[in-house]
Amino acid sequence: MRPTPKGGAGSSGAASSDGKPVSIGTVLTLLREEFPEVTISKIRFLEAEGLVEPERTPSGYRKFTPADVERLAGVLRMQRDHYLPLKVIREHLDALERGEQVQLPAQATASRDLVPGMREAGEGHAQAARIGREELLAAAEADEAALADWEAYGLVAPDADGSYGSEAVTVAKLVAELGRFGLEPRHLRAVKAAAEREAGLVEQVVAPLRRHRNPQTRAHAEATARELATLSVRLHAAWVQTALKVRLP
């Protein structure tokens, strides 16, 4: 059993108050006070990645000590606040346990708040943030087989260097969530095709502006594209709400 690093990213009020080992369901309740989106599958994934090593009862049930809960909270906090890959988080915690003084990167900016491990590509100019395959799997709480399936159906695609942009991360997380309700990648191809048709309509409007020589006109094209995309998403949501006769949050 690994000890909990004292202070820093590992400290939290998430552990049980009586110091007794608790079940994974109790761990979920404790962690959700600070991390409302955490799931049992996420906790199991972090265990499989070696970030926490709970005890096992003779019947095979996991039992998490307060140190385990604190460690999980530290991992989730480093993902949320610093967007570190799991490998880096593991190395950081191991260094703390050896008594080494280590510094975490500064907290990420709001432009990179989609997923742990997100980083800016390139230097000296703004580009889309990129992550690797491991970080994408962690963000979507998925395995290699699921990601391969998504890629086979064209729902998610890496760039030439094998990295993924923020849009791919968002898609992967949503596809994973829909999959938990039984919607398979083959079902979602039609949704993607409809989105691409909507994008085509927006492109028809802004394409002449993007080809203009005036930089201000080209900048206006990008602002127009963003506004049209927002309106298109709102219209799509309204139509889904009307068809299902439900009120969306």
Side-chain angles (χ1 to χ4, degrees), residues 1 4 15-16 19-22 54-55 63-70:
M1 182 65 61
T4 303
S16 62
K20 295 180 181 179
V22 295
E55 299 173 354
K63 286 296 181 181
F64 294 80
T65 66
D68 293 329
V69 181
E70 295 289 352

Side-chain angles (χ1 to χ4, degrees), residues 40-58:
I40 284 181
S41 61
K42 174 73 169 182
I43 296 171
R44 288 173 176 162
F45 176 80
L46 293 176
E47 178 189 357
E49 291 295 311
L51 273 303
V52 65
E53 300 172 2
E55 299 173 354
R56 293 275 185 162
T57 66

